[in-house]
Amino acid sequence: MYEPPSSDRSGEDARLAGRPVVAAWGMGVDSTAMIIEWISRRLPLSVVLTADTGTEREETYAFAPIFRRWLDRHHIPHHVVRYVPRRFKHWPPYFSLLENCLTNATLPSISFGRHSCSQKWKIQPQDQWVSEWKPAQAVWARGDKVVKLIGYDSSPADSRRYAHREGHVSALYDYLYPLRQWGWDRQACIDRIRKEGLPVPIKSACWLCAAQKTTELETLPPWCLRLVVLVEARAAPRLRTVEGLWRSSTRARPGSMTQFIRQRGLLSPDEIDAIVSGAPADLIDFQRVAAEHPLAERPMMRDWIDRFNEGVEQLAA
């Protein structure tokens, strides 16, 4: 349960004195509660950064402006950062995790048992922004570090995530985990957000993520489900060790999200078959033609996705 903050901040203030403090806001419960409580304790906060993969759920994107207005009321600067690829020698430019997967005919790294998605799409864009930020450059120039707040709570799941990072040393950052220092679990975070009078956000997660539960997949809107089918169909010829986005089958579900969508009737069989049989080939044709244009004139992957969405909407109707 949420407990009021202690009035003794001297130790924390001493650690933070004269150093810029950056909060990583993932748009979910933990990081939201962390920022609310941190500010309520009158601890310094220089800026809030949000890394947008382009594939968050609709509910998350709906909550984001609500909390940004809260930050504005508390006079906290905040910025959205994104991973920006640099080289597009042979491909139409892409700017989201979805577009990356479709361009390279692959799945998110977590589907292969790796965890580089967060590094590429979340941590790297935030670090890039900070590297160009004058307060950070100044503190590094004098041999000190930027303080970065990370919202891992004290629940068993986040304890495992924390254990993976524990002992991580950076020449540029000191990492703080306030929720763990306060002993807060997820319910305490929910209670704190409600106490502030804000709606409680859903778990922030990419709708392509292998960590997604079946119940979460079932609540996705049709346009997301169609793109899930497309991503698996596009990657299928290159898959050797995994069945699909969920990697491998369990008693509860298949390894392929497309198979689950078909089994549960979340999309019609005809719609699924049309996407699988036609869309990947059309995408390959688009990439080939796009590559013939100079980069400055080249259509983007987003252009093809928009065309795909329009086409399947008409088919579904």
Side-chain angles (χ1 to χ4, degrees):
M1 296 293 290
Y2 165 69
E3 295 181 0
S6 168
S7 59
D8 181 9
R9 309 191 327 266
S10 56
E12 195 72 80
D13 286 348
R15 285 202 298 168
L16 303 174
R19 299 202 286 169
V21 180
V22 178
W25 181 48
M27 300 186 284
V29 168
D30 287 351
S31 58
T32 300
M34 175 189 73
I35 292 169
I36 291 171
E37 181 65 11
W38 185 268
I39 293 172
S40 80
R41 297 187 183 211
R42 299 181 181 178
L43 293 166
L45 181 56
S46 308
V47 67
V48 171
L49 297 181
T50 305
D52 182 8
T53 65
T55 54
E56 296 288 337
R57 293 179 64 111
E58 289 180 330
E59 298 94 330
T60 298
Y61 286 124
F63 174 73
I66 296 173
F67 192 61
R68 291 189 187 115
R69 288 193 293 270
W70 185 92
L71 291 171
D72 289 338
R73 291 196 298 273
H74 289 79
H75 310 290
I76 303 298
H78 53 90
H79 300 276
V80 177
V81 297
R82 296 177 177 86
Y83 171 72
V84 180
R86 301 296 181 187
R87 294 177 295 174
F88 298 102
K89 184 175 180 181
H90 302 298
W91 306 114
Y94 62 82
F95 300 97
S96 72
L97 176 58
L98 168 66
E99 295 170 21
N100 186 179
C101 289
L102 292 177
T103 295
N104 296 321
T106 190
L107 304 176
S109 65
I110 191 173
S111 294
F112 299 102
R114 302 188 297 270
H115 296 275
S116 58
C117 282
S118 291
Q119 178 64 42
K120 178 176 179 178
W121 292 95
K122 295 187 176 181
I123 298 173
Q124 182 178 327
Q126 292 183 48
D127 288 352
Q128 178 63 37
W129 188 93
V130 175
S131 72
E132 300 169 2
W133 186 41
K134 291 189 182 302
Q137 294 171 350
V139 78
W140 291 333
R142 67 173 189 256
D144 209 341
K145 298 182 181 183
V146 173
V147 177
K148 189 169 187 179
L149 310 180
I150 299 177
Y152 288 174
D153 65 35
S154 295
S155 65
D158 267 15
S159 292
R160 289 190 292 271
R161 295 169 68 198
Y162 173 74
H164 179 72
R165 285 189 58 89
E166 191 174 16
H168 179 73
V169 176
S170 167
L172 302 178
Y173 296 94
D174 277 335
Y175 299 102
L176 297 185
Y177 304 86
L179 297 176
R180 299 188 63 80
Q181 294 172 7
W182 303 332
W184 285 20
D185 60 12
R186 189 172 183 84
Q187 186 58 52
C189 292
I190 291 172
D191 293 342
R192 184 64 183 91
I193 294 169
R194 286 176 174 157
K195 183 176 184 295
E196 195 66 20
L198 293 173
V200 177
I202 66 167
K203 182 180 75 173
S204 176
C206 170
W207 45 263
L208 286 174
C209 187
Q212 179 173 208
K213 298 177 181 178
T214 57
T215 52
E216 293 170 329
L217 182 67
E218 288 176 317
T219 62
L220 289 177
W223 70 266
C224 285
L225 296 173
R226 294 172 188 132
L227 289 169
V228 165
V229 172
L230 172 62
V231 167
E232 288 193 334
R234 173 79 170 111
R238 300 178 62 182
L239 299 183
R240 298 291 181 270
T241 61
V242 302
E243 299 172 36
L245 285 162
W246 273 325
R247 298 189 66 189
S248 57
S249 298
T250 68
R251 288 185 176 183
R253 48 116 185 108
S256 164
M257 290 187 186
T258 299
Q259 186 176 344
F260 181 84
I261 291 168
R262 190 187 292 274
Q263 290 173 350
R264 296 299 176 94
L266 303 179
L267 294 175
S268 73
D270 289 345
E271 193 173 0
I272 295 172
D273 292 342
I275 293 171
V276 172
S277 64
D282 186 73
L283 175 53
I284 292 170
D285 289 342
F286 169 80
Q287 288 181 293
R288 186 185 68 252
V289 173
E292 296 172 356
H293 292 74
L295 182 57
E297 303 171 10
R298 195 173 298 173
M300 297 185 180
M301 178 57 70
R302 181 74 256 172
D303 298 331
W304 184 88
I305 294 173
D306 289 342
R307 191 178 74 188
F308 166 83
N309 287 334
E310 291 174 2
V312 292
E313 285 287 353
Q314 293 173 0
L315 177 66

